């Protein structure tokens, strides 16, 4: 069997080295072992990928939606056929437990299936004309060449969430994956190729020189759209740069998710939701519960039960079958968790469980529960991106909603209540793009994923996801009045 990827760039249907021959190392976060040396693409390689995507565009766009859908269905099937090998690769480069990696791949693949189906339903409309001699129709057309820049925390799903709707719509793509995790996206490219997706339609340029390649993609007038998932800080920079060529943009940026537990909540359900929302991917997701707000009447019972359940989570390498929490991605990540925790403890927060690096190794952190957190602490205002549950006690519904909304971010929010009126009131009052009510996980390909405020804009998944890659064209058909006699 040929390998799932080559440690190179994938441009115009071929594996190639960086033009200047540079490479960079990918290491396993669980033990620091060397995984691969990958082509470190530069400006020339970015240009070559843009040229390939531009050349492939007319042919790809001209195919019928059904034709493109058939190739996407094949890509989806090949990903599922290779799920074990893909999961192993994902865990090696990123660290998450194997079962979570397989879950991510199924979730990632579901976008390809979904958008293969959606491609056939990108309907236009007819609009009643204000002129008797004219008719108005709208059609949807692919925006063109798309640049995608993705993060390391979901090396497969963040790619397919962009590539699937783009390709389904008839766009071609240049992907710059995160420098920590380029291998999974190269494997996706290989499988797309095997599925029969034509050369130049999906190109991958791995690089350790993110800004160099990113600038090239953003400055090119041939690239008509940027789709980015990552930090708000980087998103802001990319948006500013994209302004020069007035690109369309989808921005899925940072979050600071509140997780509110009201007195009337089902305690067990709230704790299970909290465990899933907080500790999945070792707390490294943009929709992870970042701030627990727990009402005074249930507070102590919630904290006690959360500690009990958190204690059961096994820390270890993702490859061990019983691991629930793997390593963090890199030194920077673990230092950030330590800094936020340290500053908050200095300000009066209490560590109820964990609170330090784990004996398993350098990048492992103990699952941690912190109480007596206040809105003035860094654990509250910053995205933790680690396995630390920080808990604040509140009294009233109005107070909880005000605290939850007092952030520049607006991605996901969660709350637990048995009161139907409160469910609607709070659901509508929360200034977040996604709200989980009595559920701690809400991602699915059939629902629109995306944020408000400085968490960005645009939606991924659902029927809305396709429109991110389609331009509306209005056509006026005039001169319809009869000329002379009409028999
Ligand atoms: P983090 O590294 O904290 O996950 P980032 O937003 O920095 O968040 O990274 C997300 C993606 O953005 C990665 O693929 C990274 O390489 C890329 N990136 C970071 N800085 C730039 C930049 N200046 N230009 C283009 N891409 C960038």
């Amino acid at each position: 069997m040929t390998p799932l990827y080559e440690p190179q760039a994938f441009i115009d249907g071929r594996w190639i080295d960086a033009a200047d021959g540079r490479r960079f190392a990918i290491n396993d976060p669980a033990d620091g072992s060397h995984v691969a040396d990958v082509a470190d693409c530069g400006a020339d390689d970015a240009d070559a990928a843009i040229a390939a995507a531009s050349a492939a565009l007319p042919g790809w766009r001209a195919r019928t939606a059904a034709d493109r859908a058939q190739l996407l269905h094949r890509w989806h099937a090949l990903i599922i056929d290779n799920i074990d090998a893909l999961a192993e690769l994902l865990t090696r480069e990123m660290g998450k437990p194997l079962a979570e990696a397989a879950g991510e791949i199924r979730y990632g693949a579901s976008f390809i299936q979904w958008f293969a189906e959606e491609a056939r339903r990108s309907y236009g409309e007819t609009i009643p004309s204000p002129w008797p001699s004219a008719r108005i129709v709208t059609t949807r057309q692919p925006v063109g060449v798309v640049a995608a820049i993705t993060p390391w925390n979901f090396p497969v799903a963040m790619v397919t969430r962009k590539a699937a709707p783009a390709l389904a719509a008839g766009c071609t793509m240049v992907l710059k994956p995160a420098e920590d995790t380029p291998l999974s996206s190269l494997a996706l490219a290989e499988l797309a190729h095997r599925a029969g997706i034509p050369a130049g339609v999906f190109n991958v340029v791995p690089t350790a020189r993110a800004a160099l390649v990113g600038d090239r993609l953003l400055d090119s007038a041939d690239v008509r759209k940027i789709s980015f998932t990552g930090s708000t800080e980087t998103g802001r920079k990319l948006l500013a740069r994209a302004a020069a060529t007035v690109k369309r943009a989808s921005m899925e940026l940072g979050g600071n998710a509140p997780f509110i537990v009201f007195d009337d909540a089902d305690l067990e359900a709230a704790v299970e939701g909290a465990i899933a929302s907080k500790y999945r991917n070792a707390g490294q997701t943009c929709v992870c519960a970042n701030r627990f707000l727990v009402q005074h009447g249930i507070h102590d019972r919630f904290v006690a039960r959360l500690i009990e359940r958190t204690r059961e989570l096994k820390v270890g390498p993702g490859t061990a079958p019983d691991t629930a929490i793997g390593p963090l991605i890199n030194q920077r990540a673990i230092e950030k968790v330590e800094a936020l925790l340290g500053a908050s403890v200095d300000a009066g927060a209490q560590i109820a469980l964990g609170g330090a690096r784990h004996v398993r190794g350098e990048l492992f952190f103990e699952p941690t529960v912190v109480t007596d957190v206040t809105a003035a602490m860094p654990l509250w205002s910053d995205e933790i991106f680690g396995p630390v549950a920080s808990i604040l006690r509140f009294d009233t519904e109005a107070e909880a909603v005000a605290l939850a909304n007092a952030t520049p971010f607006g991605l996901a929010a969660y709350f637990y209540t048995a009161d139907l009126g409160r469910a609607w009131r709070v659901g509508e009052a929360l200034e977040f793009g996604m709200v989980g009510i009595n559920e701690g996980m809400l991602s699915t390909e059939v629902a629109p994923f995306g944020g408000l405020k400085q968490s960005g804009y645009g939606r991924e998944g659902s029927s809305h996801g396709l429109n991110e890659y389609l331009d509306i064209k209005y056509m006026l058909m005039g001169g319809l009045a009869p000329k002379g006699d009409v028999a």
Side-chain angles (χ1 to χ4, degrees):
M1 191 68 192
T2 45
L4 263 187
Y5 72 93
E6 297 293 335
Q8 289 174 302
F10 189 79
I11 298 175
D12 206 15
R14 280 172 302 154
W15 295 106
I16 57 161
D17 284 321
D20 58 12
R22 282 166 69 148
R23 291 187 165 260
F24 67 108
I26 304 301
N27 297 320
D28 183 335
D31 57 12
S33 62
H34 180 255
V35 181
D37 283 319
V38 184
D40 183 5
C41 292
D44 290 344
D45 308 300
D47 288 347
I50 296 168
S54 303
L57 182 65
W60 184 243
R61 178 171 61 190
R63 291 194 181 216
T64 63
D67 230 20
R68 290 194 298 267
Q70 196 174 28
L71 296 177
L72 289 171
H73 279 302
R74 262 192 236 152
W75 191 18
H76 172 262
L78 283 169
I79 291 172
I80 298 300
D81 286 350
N82 287 279
I83 193 164
D84 293 340
L86 287 168
E88 218 168 280
L89 180 64
L90 200 167
T91 291
R92 275 219 79 194
E93 68 173 341
M94 192 268 146
K96 72 176 61 177
L98 267 176
E100 272 190 41
E104 176 187 336
I105 291 158
R106 269 191 296 275
Y107 170 62
S110 73
F111 286 92
I112 299 177
Q113 189 176 42
W114 172 264
F115 284 110
E117 293 158 354
E118 283 297 303
R120 291 153 57 93
R121 314 200 201 306
S122 73
Y123 304 126
E125 61 196 336
T126 59
I127 298 172
S129 168
W131 306 289
S133 63
R135 298 291 179 269
I136 292 173
V137 295
T138 66
T139 59
R140 292 174 190 273
Q141 298 187 331
V143 302
V145 175
V146 176
I149 297 182
T150 51
W152 49 264
N153 59 345
F154 290 90
V156 167
M158 295 304 109
V159 171
T160 55
R161 271 212 314 213
K162 301 181 187 313
L167 269 52
C171 299
T172 58
M173 176 168 275
V174 178
L175 166 72
K176 190 211 81 59
E179 49 274 44
D180 290 300
T181 59
L183 306 181
S184 294
S185 60
L186 294 173
L188 288 175
E190 167 67 20
L191 294 175
H193 178 67
R194 287 187 203 170
I197 290 174
V201 170
F202 181 58
N203 308 276
V204 184
V205 284
T207 183
R209 296 175 277 177
L212 180 65
V213 168
D215 287 355
R216 211 66 173 197
L217 297 174
L218 289 163
D219 292 349
S220 166
D222 293 335
V223 174
R224 291 313 316 142
K225 168 165 181 126
I226 169 76
S227 178
F228 173 71
T229 299
S231 62
T232 296
E233 190 190 344
T234 299
R236 246 183 235 121
K237 275 192 229 157
L238 302 189
L239 266 179
R241 189 129 193 159
T245 47
V246 195
K247 284 188 195 352
R248 283 186 62 174
S250 299
M251 293 277 139
E252 207 266 86
L253 308 178
N256 184 358
F259 188 112
I260 309 171
V261 184
F262 290 101
D263 281 346
D264 59 26
D266 175 332
L267 178 67
E268 276 307 307
V271 170
E272 285 317 305
I275 294 282
S277 173
K278 178 68 251 181
Y279 297 114
R280 189 167 61 107
N281 211 10
Q284 303 173 108
T285 89
C286 48
V287 294
C288 267
N290 203 58
R291 308 173 281 154
F292 287 91
L293 299 89
V294 186
Q295 203 162 14
H296 62 88
I298 199 172
H299 177 273
D300 293 355
R301 281 179 293 140
F302 177 84
V303 170
R305 189 73 188 111
L306 185 68
I307 289 172
E308 255 172 49
R309 286 286 290 109
T310 302
R311 230 191 265 286
E312 289 165 22
L313 301 174
K314 189 94 193 283
V315 176
T319 46
D322 54 351
T323 291
I325 298 194
L328 298 193
I329 187 70
N330 53 32
Q331 277 296 343
R332 199 156 52 95
I334 205 149
E335 281 162 15
K336 180 180 177 191
V337 171
E338 284 177 331
L340 295 178
L341 189 59
S344 302
V345 168
D346 288 347
Q350 302 289 321
I351 293 177
L353 181 72
R357 291 194 192 208
H358 193 277
V359 291
R360 278 302 318 199
E362 231 183 318
L363 297 183
F364 291 88
F365 202 82
E366 293 175 341
T368 295
V369 176
V370 185
T371 60
D372 299 281
V373 172
T374 70
M377 294 178 184
L379 272 181
W380 196 257
S381 49
D382 284 47
E383 207 177 9
I384 303 166
F385 248 61
V388 177
S390 61
I391 303 174
L392 171 150
R393 187 195 296 258
F394 73 89
D395 288 318
T396 66
E397 180 184 307
E399 184 192 356
V401 169
L403 278 165
N405 285 341
T407 166
F409 299 102
L411 193 57
Y414 309 87
F415 67 95
Y416 279 71
T417 181
D419 178 333
L420 189 57
R422 172 175 277 159
W424 277 102
R425 270 194 317 273
V426 175
E428 289 178 352
L430 287 170
E431 295 164 355
F432 294 80
M434 297 174 283
V435 180
I437 305 169
N438 297 326
E439 291 288 344
M441 299 226 302
L442 41 60
S443 299
T444 159
E445 79 280 12
V446 311
F449 188 107
L452 309 179
K453 292 157 79 176
Q454 293 184 35
S455 290
Y457 45 74
R459 292 293 177 269
E460 295 191 308
S462 82
S463 57
H464 303 289
L466 197 66
N467 290 335
E468 301 284 322
Y469 298 90
L470 292 167
D471 287 325
I472 294 175
K473 177 173 284 178
Y474 147 46
M475 287 197 284
L476 175 67
M477 302 192 64
L480 304 182
K483 306 229 170 5
D485 267 3
V486 180

